[in-house]
Amino acid sequence: LLIRRRCLVEDSLHQLATHEQDLKKRLKIEFVGEEGVDAGGLTKEWFMLLLRELMNPMYGMFTCEADGAYWFNPAALETSNQFFLVGVVVGLALYNSTILDLHLPLAVFKKLLRTGFYQASAPGMTAAKSADAISLAIVAGNQGLGTATATAPTLGNGVRLASGAGSALASAAATASLGGQNGTQKKMKSAYAPCYGPSGASAVAAESQPPVYGLLSPSAQLRYQISEMLTDVAQIRPHLARGLRQLLQYREDDVEDVFCLTFEASYDAYGDVVTVPLVANGANVAVTSANRVEYVLRYLQWVLSDSIARQFEPFRRGFYYVCGSNALSLFKPEDIELMVHGSGEDWDSDALRKTTNFVGFDSEAAQTVGEWFWDVLREMTQRDRKLFLAFVTGSDRMPTVASTQFSMKLAMLGSEHNRFPIAHTCFNQLGLWMYRSKDELRQKLMMAMTESEGFGLK
């Protein structure tokens, strides 16, 4: 792809459309007016700069939610082509084993791998409408009301099941893992269905859930689905998830008077609050003790699916345009997330030193500079270590392999101490000069890390 830096988004969209039949070939980037030859580093730079532009708030395609996670903007005005491009970029990164500086929540990868995962099935919605106070307490993680004293089994994140449902889940899990009787395991479908599942809303919802899901009663399926959805919404909007949990946990009968809610959802559209009904005539349907489970289920479905359907569909098509293979059904959403994002955890400079290859550090003076370098790296803050990793590798996140397996090359370039360090991102190589002091090395390295952009030939 031939890209002008000043027209990054436009050139990328045009070039990808021009080479749409070649997207599964090895990707190579050439920046107009620069001498750099792409052996991997220019590709990383292109991914980083393009996503930085596409995620810019001025485009309004995504909103920055809790902990820097990006989520689709329900009020986005951009065309479907832009979301298609983001999907293609994510697919290309996965296909080319390139880590992206793109903090998408796990819910995005669940939606990609499990069609209709956040769509409530007809039996589940019926169960939600008929849920009573005891079911509410169980869903919210409380013990049963009245005379019930036994603690229900837990289904993650404090959500508890009734004893019967918990037994059913445990029994189903055991049956799935051991094969069960009469070849139960052979009859089960994959837990992570391909993008194109069976037709029909109920079939899609069933196909997109783990195998255990189909063995549960409608009420147990409801509790399982609400637990999953609340956990995923908490990654995007923790305050909303906390409020919905409080609604479910409320034990009194005056829900309508205390919470003053109706069957409506709202979102911010560039400063204006837009309200949409969750059911027909939702503005006049109050949330009560009897219907609060249905309200929570519909609200979660709206946040994770209905409100962003127009934006997510072209994104999904773009992703599968590059990665449209049944091989994806072998992976869990967590696996794809790790391959796309890399590991965001901090890394140990001493562990990195053990896997680093040294070139030109034969003299005592060069070895002294090498020791200064590791001292400087060890003293860096986590933010500075991310800048260092981005400078040397093109990404501020470690690959999916641990830092004990990630290798770097450290080279001594010569005696010109007034020059800045040089990074070869294609090969994870950093070149140093014979600096006169540790402070001089730190100053030159920090300047190179924070002020560098672009590529050239040595």
Side-chain angles (χ1 to χ4, degrees):
L1 304 182
L2 190 61
I3 305 295
R4 295 170 296 174
R5 285 184 181 269
R6 67 180 183 277
C7 304
L8 195 69
V9 175
E10 296 81 356
D11 283 1
S12 298
L13 185 61
H14 174 71
Q15 292 279 305
L16 289 173
T18 304
H19 299 88
E20 60 178 329
Q21 303 302 322
D22 302 323
L23 293 182
K24 293 192 176 182
K25 296 180 180 178
R26 183 179 178 183
L27 180 64
K28 284 187 175 293
I29 301 296
E30 179 181 346
F31 288 110
V32 174
E34 298 183 19
E35 299 175 315
V37 177
D38 190 9
L42 273 69
T43 297
K44 294 178 184 178
E45 175 88 350
W46 174 73
F47 276 120
M48 181 180 68
L49 295 177
L50 178 59
L51 287 172
R52 185 185 299 170
E53 284 291 320
L54 292 174
M55 298 299 162
N56 193 318
M58 65 174 287
Y59 284 98
M61 296 174 59
F62 294 84
T63 58
C64 188
E65 304 289 348
D67 296 328
Y70 288 104
W71 188 245
F72 298 88
N73 185 1
L77 302 177
E78 296 294 326
T79 65
S80 60
N81 287 340
Q82 299 288 68
F83 289 99
F84 181 84
L85 173 61
V86 178
V88 168
V89 169
V90 175
L92 281 173
L94 181 62
Y95 194 81
N96 288 272
S97 302
T98 301
I99 296 174
L100 295 180
D101 183 21
L102 177 64
H103 305 292
L104 294 175
L106 181 60
V108 172
F109 301 97
K110 286 184 178 180
K111 288 172 66 67
L112 283 173
L113 297 189
R114 303 177 184 176
T115 304
F117 180 75
Y118 296 118
Q119 294 293 329
S121 63
M125 192 61 71
T126 301
K129 293 179 180 179
S130 61
D132 56 17
I134 295 178
S135 297
L136 294 175
I138 293 171
V139 169
N142 297 322
Q143 297 179 352
L145 301 178
T147 59
T149 56
T151 302
T154 301
L155 183 61
N157 296 291
V159 178
R160 300 186 183 277
L161 296 174
S163 57
S167 300
L169 181 62
S171 174
T175 302
S177 61
L178 298 177
Q181 298 178 355
N182 301 322
T184 304
Q185 187 181 30
K186 295 181 180 178
K187 296 180 181 179
M188 284 185 176
K189 293 184 178 181
S190 169
Y192 305 97
C195 180
Y196 302 101
S199 59
S202 299
V204 169
E207 178 75 12
S208 62
Q209 300 285 0
V212 173
Y213 184 82
L215 303 179
L216 301 178
S217 66
S219 60
Q221 290 181 6
L222 172 66
R223 289 189 287 271
Y224 177 87
Q225 188 167 25
I226 288 181
S227 171
E228 288 270 310
M229 295 169 81
L230 278 172
T231 300
D232 292 335
V233 168
Q235 291 186 345
I236 309 167
R237 299 173 187 171
H239 297 294
L240 172 62
R242 190 180 306 115
L244 294 176
R245 286 187 187 275
Q246 290 174 350
L247 175 62
L248 293 176
Q249 291 170 345
Y250 190 71
R251 291 171 176 255
E252 306 300 329
D253 294 330
D254 55 347
V255 169
E256 183 176 355
D257 296 329
V258 171
F259 288 89
C260 301
L261 295 172
T262 57
F263 272 70
E264 293 179 302
S266 60
Y267 63 92
D268 179 79
Y270 307 106
D272 295 328
V273 177
V274 179
T275 302
V276 295
L278 298 176
V279 295
N281 196 28
N284 297 317
V285 180
V287 177
T288 65
S289 300
N291 63 16
R292 54 180 161 178
V293 173
E294 180 188 0
Y295 170 79
V296 169
L297 184 58
R298 289 188 183 276
Y299 206 116
L300 292 171
Q301 178 177 306
W302 180 84
V303 171
L304 294 169
S305 181
D306 298 344
S307 65
I308 61 168
R310 180 179 63 86
Q311 294 81 6
F312 185 79
E313 178 56 27
F315 171 84
R316 184 192 64 83
R317 285 191 290 104
F319 178 83
Y320 274 95
Y321 193 84
V322 180
C323 296
S325 169
N326 286 333
L328 284 178
S329 63
L330 302 176
F331 295 93
K332 297 179 180 181
E334 294 83 356
D335 299 331
I336 303 298
E337 180 188 34
L338 189 60
M339 287 189 285
V340 171
H341 292 172
S343 174
E345 297 180 358
D346 198 9
W347 44 274
D348 184 8
S349 58
D350 293 329
L352 178 61
R353 181 173 184 172
K354 295 177 182 178
T355 60
T356 297
N357 299 316
F358 297 89
V359 178
F361 286 86
D362 301 324
S363 67
E364 183 176 349
Q367 292 176 8
T368 300
V369 173
E371 290 297 329
W372 289 341
F373 166 75
W374 292 110
D375 289 341
V376 169
L377 193 60
R378 197 177 297 112
E379 294 165 3
M380 285 183 181
T381 63
Q382 183 176 356
R383 176 183 176 276
D384 289 339
R385 279 195 294 272
K386 285 191 173 186
L387 290 174
F388 170 80
L389 202 61
F391 177 65
V392 176
T393 70
S395 172
D396 67 352
R397 300 168 73 89
M398 276 289 180
T400 51
V401 297
S403 59
T404 54
Q405 298 173 281
F406 172 76
S407 62
M408 181 181 74
K409 179 183 287 188
L410 191 63
M412 176 56 66
L413 302 179
S415 59
E416 302 175 44
H417 63 86
N418 59 334
R419 299 187 60 177
F420 291 103
I422 297 175
H424 298 271
T425 56
C426 306
F427 311 108
N428 299 336
Q429 177 177 323
L430 176 66
L432 300 176
W433 303 91
M434 199 73 73
Y435 298 111
R436 297 171 297 181
S437 67
K438 184 166 69 172
D439 289 339
E440 184 180 34
L441 189 154
R442 179 187 291 108
Q443 187 267 333
K444 296 289 186 183
L445 180 59
M446 292 299 297
M447 182 68 73
M449 288 162 41
T450 56
E451 302 296 335
S452 62
E453 184 177 83
F455 295 88
L457 291 178
K458 184 177 178 181

